[in-house]
Amino acid sequence: MAPGNRVLVLAEVMGGVIIPHSHEMFAAGMAIAEGLQVPLVLGLVGTDQDEALANIGTLDGSIETVTAVVDEGEMLPYEAWVDATSELVRSVDPHIVLASGTSFGNDYAPRMAARLGLPMASWVTSVTVDDQGLVVTRDVLGGRAETAIRCNSGTPFVISLEPGTIDPSPIGDIAAISLSDVFAELAPTSPGSQSTAHRKRLMGADRIVSGGRGMRSEEGVALIEELADVLDAAVGSSGAAVLMGLSPHETQVGSSGEVVRPKLYLAVGLSGTPQHTFGMRESQFIVAINKDPNAPIFQLADFGIVGDLFEIVPALIEALKKPA
Amino acid sequence: MKIAVLVKQVVDVGSVRIESATGEPKIGGSPVMNTSDAHAVSEAIDLRETTSGEVVSLSVGPRSAREELIEALATGVDSAIHVVCEELERSDSLSTARAIAEAVREEGFDVLFSGQKADDFGTGQVNLQLAEMLGIRHLSNVTTIMAHADSIHVTRDADGFPEEFDVQTPVLLILAPRDDAPKRHSSLRGMMQAKRKPVREVEPTVPMNSALTWTEPMAQRVSADRVLLEGEPVDEAAAKLASWLREHRLVR
């Protein structure tokens, strides 16, 4: 399949609603189309696109929209999506295809690429165009490093974004909401313990204090919570703290918990396993307190203190309470 | 029931250290079995134990990847197929999936197991693309598996909501990532037995190449003005952190 010249964004529409991640795909698609100086085609894939189109309002006149109605019938939903999107890609004949990086997108997009025989890069965290064309980056080695990827096969190139890594721009007049906005607005419905009921939610929090295995006991947990209160921060935890029964699962940050991007992430008594750092490494500022100077979390930290949290945290609370 | 489990030899990401001067990652330890693949091996053996039949582990990779296949055999897998490919990193997901598809097409597996993605350079694409090439269904984020007489009852996690399916075989089951995933450990007896179990080595029957070029990995966050306090008196360290937080307007 020879590449055409357009950028195709496969926006996900569920029951007439354009899902938030699609606005991130749209932002990336616009950046690529501008960089390559080619037209953007907005594909609306899913159900009730008429309603979605009506909601979009005014769309930049240079953007063509195409729709693919998914007939799920007897099939598993992703199977119908592989059929519908493969057909759409064939008919649009694009240069670049942006597929969805949601858990649903991860179910259909690699199969679509295989059916069409196209190269694909998933978990993309940035897109740039230089004089040799599109270059995308993604994380490797458990988030410790990143790599830049180019497509040189002379075929269309399929990419999917890691959700939450590219600032969304609105499709038409619909407000561009991001996934973290959605989570932040959800009421704290967790049936967790009394002590967590009043706590700030992780998603959408500006500041997060997370505790790990080093908290050891209820006493450690109380210290972390006190520090969080002083900083007006949400409380997070590592998988190890959850497994030890110190922290409720809904506070877990990482690949089996929440993925967060606060301004400040203060990691206390946690080593920074790849599973954990997956969920917090995009934070703007990272601070780590750990007694092991070789803990990998220090490689991510902007400010680190090697020491015992049971000594450092009380001293920090005192220092923060004092007027500057 | 004929069960396959996909196993990948990966870099031990826990052993990766970043050279602070250059941002270059240095790999400290020996290669290991991908974490979620060890979980898949465990689930595959569990399924065999409730149904009967055999479990075959499959790997594409260099000669050294035989170690992970032997490890799987030592924990109870019956036999292994090794698609030998020295330069796996120069192969994209389509070539890798095609090489596996060609090696297993004639085997007639009922159930294939895999993890979600590889810890090191994982794309989460090869397993799904293999299913597409074999023309079989997959279910991702699988949490529980129960065998019935003529189908398999599977629960999956759909973004926090459980979904249940009775699936017909053949099917690929992709396990949901879990920090506390069960893992089988090899016994001395298992290791002795593994030496007598068959490992079939095959050459890839398709060209292993890549339509994509990847640059050498580099740390993206090399904080030039990073502060690391070690051996400072507790009160001084805490005071320095408090003023750093104020300086960066991270406290009110």
Side-chain angles (χ1 to χ4, degrees), chain A residues 119-167:
Chain A
M120 174 173 178
S122 45
W123 306 99
V124 165
T125 52
S126 78
V127 298
T128 352
V129 174
D130 62 17
D131 53 3
Q132 293 167 60
L134 174 64
V135 50
V136 302
T137 59
R138 56 155 300 178
D139 289 348
V140 292
L141 297 172
R144 297 278 158 78
E146 70 177 4
T147 180
I149 302 173
R150 287 178 191 277
C151 174
N152 47 16
S153 63
T155 64
F157 180 22
V158 181
I159 64 175
S160 67
L161 306 175
E162 184 172 328
T165 53
I166 287 179
D167 282 336

Side-chain angles (χ1 to χ4, degrees), chain A residues 122 141 146-147 152 283 298, chain B residues 120 125 211 215 218 221 226:
Chain A
S122 45
L141 297 172
E146 70 177 4
T147 180
N152 47 16
S283 306
F298 285 125
Chain B
D120 55 354
Q125 292 167 205
T215 57
M218 290 295 269
R221 179 191 268 277
R226 184 180 77 151

Side-chain angles (χ1 to χ4, degrees), chain A residues 49-321:
Chain A
Q49 284 96 334
D50 290 344
E51 194 183 329
L53 268 172
N55 289 337
I56 285 175
T58 326
L59 190 66
D60 179 342
S62 68
I63 296 169
E64 183 191 341
T65 57
V66 291
T67 55
V69 178
V70 172
D71 175 17
E72 293 180 5
E74 302 262 300
M75 292 187 276
L76 291 167
Y78 75 77
E79 294 182 291
W81 275 69
V82 176
D83 291 346
T85 53
S86 300
E87 213 32 64
L88 195 61
V89 171
R90 281 198 192 99
S91 68
V92 170
D93 185 27
H95 180 44
I96 306 291
V97 181
L98 275 123
S100 182
T102 58
S103 58
F104 186 71
N106 290 338
D107 257 347
Y108 89 79
R111 292 191 74 132
M112 176 197 77
R115 186 169 298 178
L116 296 167
L118 300 180
M120 174 173 178
S122 45
W123 306 99
V124 165
T125 52
S126 78
V127 298
T128 352
V129 174
D130 62 17
D131 53 3
Q132 293 167 60
L134 174 64
V135 50
V136 302
T137 59
R138 56 155 300 178
D139 289 348
V140 292
L141 297 172
R144 297 278 158 78
E146 70 177 4
T147 180
I149 302 173
R150 287 178 191 277
C151 174
N152 47 16
S153 63
T155 64
F157 180 22
V158 181
I159 64 175
S160 67
L161 306 175
E162 184 172 328
T165 53
I166 287 179
D167 282 336
S169 65
I171 301 176
D173 297 334
I174 312 183
I177 45 171
S178 69
L179 289 176
S180 42
D181 293 335
V182 174
F183 286 117
E185 275 181 26
L186 291 173
T189 52
S190 136
S193 65
Q194 289 257 316
S195 72
T196 63
H198 73 280
R199 298 221 162 263
K200 289 167 69 95
R201 283 192 59 83
L202 273 183
M203 294 304 296
D206 260 1
R207 290 178 287 270
I208 296 173
V209 177
S210 277
R213 189 191 299 276
M215 295 188 295
R216 295 206 299 265
S217 63
E218 294 296 321
E219 192 195 338
V221 174
L223 261 181
I224 300 301
E225 291 183 349
E226 192 185 344
L227 178 58
D229 287 343
V230 173
L231 286 166
D232 192 23
V235 175
S237 65
S238 71
V242 174
L243 283 181
M244 287 165 76
L246 293 173
S247 309
H249 177 71
E250 56 270 26
T251 63
Q252 185 174 341
V253 172
S255 53
S256 14
E258 305 284 5
V259 176
V260 296
R261 283 206 300 171
K263 270 194 201 131
L264 170 66
Y265 191 90
L266 212 161
V268 186
L270 63 84
S271 64
T273 60
Q275 289 79 7
H276 184 75
T277 56
F278 176 85
M280 47 65 74
R281 58 178 190 239
E282 300 293 332
S283 306
Q284 200 179 339
F285 288 101
I286 297 173
V287 175
I289 298 171
N290 199 299
K291 64 180 180 199
D292 174 9
N294 295 317
I297 191 73
F298 285 125
Q299 289 163 12
L300 282 179
D302 300 286
F303 197 111
I305 300 179
V306 180
D308 182 352
L309 74 92
F310 288 92
E311 292 175 8
I312 306 282
V313 174
L316 179 61
I317 291 169
E318 280 317 303
L320 288 168
K321 279 182 179 166

Side-chain angles (χ1 to χ4, degrees), chain A residues 141-142 144 274-275, chain B residues 9-17 26-35 68 119-121:
Chain A
L141 297 172
R144 297 278 158 78
Q275 289 79 7
Chain B
Q9 182 187 57
V10 297
V11 167
D12 177 3
V13 293
S15 78
V16 172
R17 294 285 174 266
K26 294 282 179 206
I27 295 155
S30 319
V32 293
M33 188 190 296
N34 187 42
T35 325
E68 277 62 42
D119 299 333
D120 55 354
F121 299 98

